[in-house]
Structure formats: C-alpha cells, structure tokens
Amino acid sequence: MTIGNGLRRVCALGVVSLGGLLAACSGGNPFEEQPVPVCPAAYLPKDTAKLVQFNGSGKDLTDVVVEAEFTGYLGDCGYDLDDKVLDVIISPIITAELGPAAQARTAQFQYFVALRDPNGTFVQKSVFDVTMPFADNLNMARFRDEQVTLSVPLSDVWTGPDYEIYLGFQLSADQVEYNRRFGTE
C-alpha cells in the first residue's frame, strides 16, 4: 500500500459497511489514520547553490555569460509501506541572469538531486540538463523544472526521515572553488 506523507488512508465502501465487525475483530478502529514517517530534510549546499559561467578563461565581470542560483524547491515524499520504498518528489526553482558576455538568449547548465542515507553515504544521484530561455526584452528568468522522483528501498520505512536530500548545480572544480572563494549568499 502506498501512502503519501500527510495523506489520509481511504477505505473502500465494502469495508465501510463492515466497519463495526472489523473493529470488533481487530480491537481498533479501522478508520483511524495510519501513521506515516515524515519526509527527509532537503538541503541546498552553499558551494553548489550558485552557478557563474564565464566565457573562455576570463574571470572578470565582463566575462560572465550567466549567473544562476537556486531560489527554492517544491517537494513531497511518499512511502510504500508494503514494499518498504521511499519516493522523494522534488521540483527545483532556479533564477538566472544573463551577463555581459552572453551571446544567446538561452543558458545551458546541469543540476543534481542526490539522496544521502543515515550513514552519510550518497545512495542516489541524478543529474539533469537545463536549457533556460530568456525573453527577448529580459535578461532575467525563473525556471521551475518538472518533478524529479528518486526511489530508494528501505529495510525499515521509519528510517526514511533520517535520509537527506541535496540539490545543487553540477559544477566543475573551478566553479566550486569560485563559489568558495567569493562566497555565496
């Protein structure tokens, strides 16, 4: 049975007519909400939450092609209690601005969504390509990607909240160093 976090379990009409009998047999009320673990926490690490793309080898402000940053995300999770699977559903929100060196009205980059287990090991990571269009008269744009789903089998569904979700740009070592050197807000 799959139960989404925060969603109530719904009983079929046939079960409703047998409610009194089932309550007597099970010793409890079959219409009570079944507890479900909460969703894992999500994080946007500062080192990968911002992207600055330069043209060529330049690192001057006039060499910036695009600057982008995560401005949030929408997300939820669900647990398949029978199969012991955690499904994480997340939709990143990215804001970007074309720089002086931009030659096109689109920006291309990658971002990742990763899942870390309670032992600190990354058990899943997916990388996604983005082509972000900009209107002819605007150098800023906002992008919300489709929902990304990560599924991970669990030995015990109650360990689900101990997992962690990480979002960030897929950056080169130079780009990570740039973020660390010049800081991100």
Side-chain angles (χ1 to χ4, degrees), residues 6 26 51 103 107-108 117 126 147 172:
S26 67
L51 163 75
Q103 298 293 314
Q108 296 180 341
D117 71 13
S126 297
Q147 291 183 341
S172 69

Side-chain angles (χ1 to χ4, degrees), residues 84-102:
K84 297 180 181 173
V85 173
L86 164 63
D87 290 316
V88 174
I89 303 157
I90 199 154
S91 182
I93 302 168
I94 298 168
T95 302
E97 181 175 7
L98 291 175

Side-chain angles (χ1 to χ4, degrees), residues 7-182:
L7 299 178
R8 292 182 173 245
R9 187 173 165 189
V10 179
C11 296
L13 183 59
V15 175
V16 171
S17 63
L18 298 174
L21 179 60
L22 290 174
C25 294
S26 67
N29 183 348
F31 304 109
E32 286 183 17
E33 187 175 325
Q34 183 175 0
V36 177
V38 297
C39 291
Y43 299 96
L44 293 166
K46 291 176 91 173
D47 289 354
T48 59
K50 187 171 183 178
L51 163 75
V52 179
Q53 285 181 348
F54 294 96
N55 67 346
S57 61
K59 298 286 188 238
D60 187 80
L61 288 178
T62 61
D63 298 319
V64 173
V65 174
V66 67
E67 286 188 59
E69 66 182 309
F70 280 87
T71 52
Y73 58 88
L74 301 173
D76 202 357
C77 74
Y79 290 88
D80 184 325
L81 299 179
D82 293 334
D83 292 335
K84 297 180 181 173
V85 173
L86 164 63
D87 290 316
V88 174
I89 303 157
I90 199 154
S91 182
I93 302 168
I94 298 168
T95 302
E97 181 175 7
L98 291 175
Q103 298 293 314
R105 302 301 303 166
T106 60
Q108 296 180 341
F109 48 84
Q110 295 180 315
Y111 75 89
F112 67 85
V113 178
L115 193 61
R116 190 165 86 170
D117 71 13
N119 297 323
T121 304
F122 284 94
V123 294
Q124 271 192 33
K125 179 182 178 184
S126 297
V127 178
F128 302 93
D129 294 316
V130 173
T131 299
M132 190 169 180
F134 291 80
D136 288 338
N137 59 342
L138 296 174
N139 285 341
M140 293 190 76
R142 185 173 181 210
F143 175 80
R144 186 175 111 191
D145 206 358
E146 299 174 12
Q147 291 183 341
V148 173
T149 303
L150 300 177
S151 295
V152 63
L154 304 171
S155 58
D156 177 5
V157 293
W158 292 101
T159 63
D162 298 330
Y163 281 72
E164 296 174 334
I165 304 161
Y166 288 85
L167 297 151
F169 289 105
Q170 187 70 25
L171 303 175
S172 69
D174 286 343
Q175 289 170 318
V176 171
E177 180 57 33
Y178 180 87
N179 284 351
R180 289 178 180 160
R181 186 169 179 208
F182 294 103

